[in-house]
Amino acid sequence: MKKIITLCILSLILAAGCNGKNNNQTGSSSVELRVDTIKNDSKTVEQLIQQWNVTNKRIVVLFGYDFNSEETVKKLTAKLEQRYGLDSDGGLIISYIYPDSFKHNGKTFPSEFPALVNENEKEISGIVLLGAPSGTETALTRIQNFWKLEVPYPIIALFSQEEAAGLEANCDIVIDKSQKAEITGGIAPEETITEVSEDAPEILMDTIDYILLLNGSIQKDLKKNEIKDHVKVMLKNREFTQYKDPESGLTSINHFVLHQ
């Protein structure tokens, strides 16, 4: 009788042990499932984390010709917002769109660009002209005169349609693509602009990063090779050459042509 009772007790203990083991396995599987779910969603979580900090500094970006379509502005603004934040949210970037930001009573006044820049109470750290239209030279001259030719921040032109000489005189650095150079030294027709647009977002970001790294103005009396060193850093060692005017044969100090 004792043997029978002992066997019954052993059977009950073994059964309880098996059930506990099964429960532990189920719990372990459940935990692993939750971890996998988090891993799968980690990219989404990272995207929700704000990549920029609120700042009193501002970099002005002008969307000019061939970069001012609704689709292009939306795409580039989204990239700028994610990486640097927009002025409206306390971020770094103030953007203006040509000609929409310069219209009054149906007329366009690009010369009012300085007023738009100076009306902001934040600390301007730089200006990037993306596809600057004709007439930008006048606006930039007003900015230079306001600061008595000692603008405390860099002005950089990317893929502009303004005449080369006007930009060279009023910008610290001018960047164009090789297919844009005309025999007259001006800017090529719009047909070539689509090629420029392909890597424009990346170059725009690199330019803004460089302005932040610079944290001030570019020395005005730099020699040709010294400015070239600045451009190497800004363009992250992309291949480029200094612009040569086809009429005079003179090589520009601060105007550079990106290779394809």
Side-chain angles (χ1 to χ4, degrees), residues 7 14 19 21 25 39-40 47 62 86 94-95 97 101 104 107 129 132 137 171-172 188 207 210 214 217 219 221 225:
L7 289 172
L14 290 173
N19 289 335
K21 186 176 181 181
Q25 287 178 341
K39 286 180 179 178
N40 290 335
Q47 290 174 345
L62 171 64
L86 302 181
I94 301 174
S95 63
I97 304 169
S101 300
H104 295 285
K107 294 183 178 181
L129 308 171
E137 175 188 354
C171 295
D172 294 282
T207 300
Y210 177 69
L214 190 64
S217 62
Q219 190 177 332
D221 58 350
N225 289 336

Side-chain angles (χ1 to χ4, degrees), residues 186-201:
I187 301 303
E190 295 182 2
E191 297 87 78
T192 61
I193 298 299
T194 52
E195 297 179 40
V196 173
S197 302
E198 291 178 2
D199 54 358

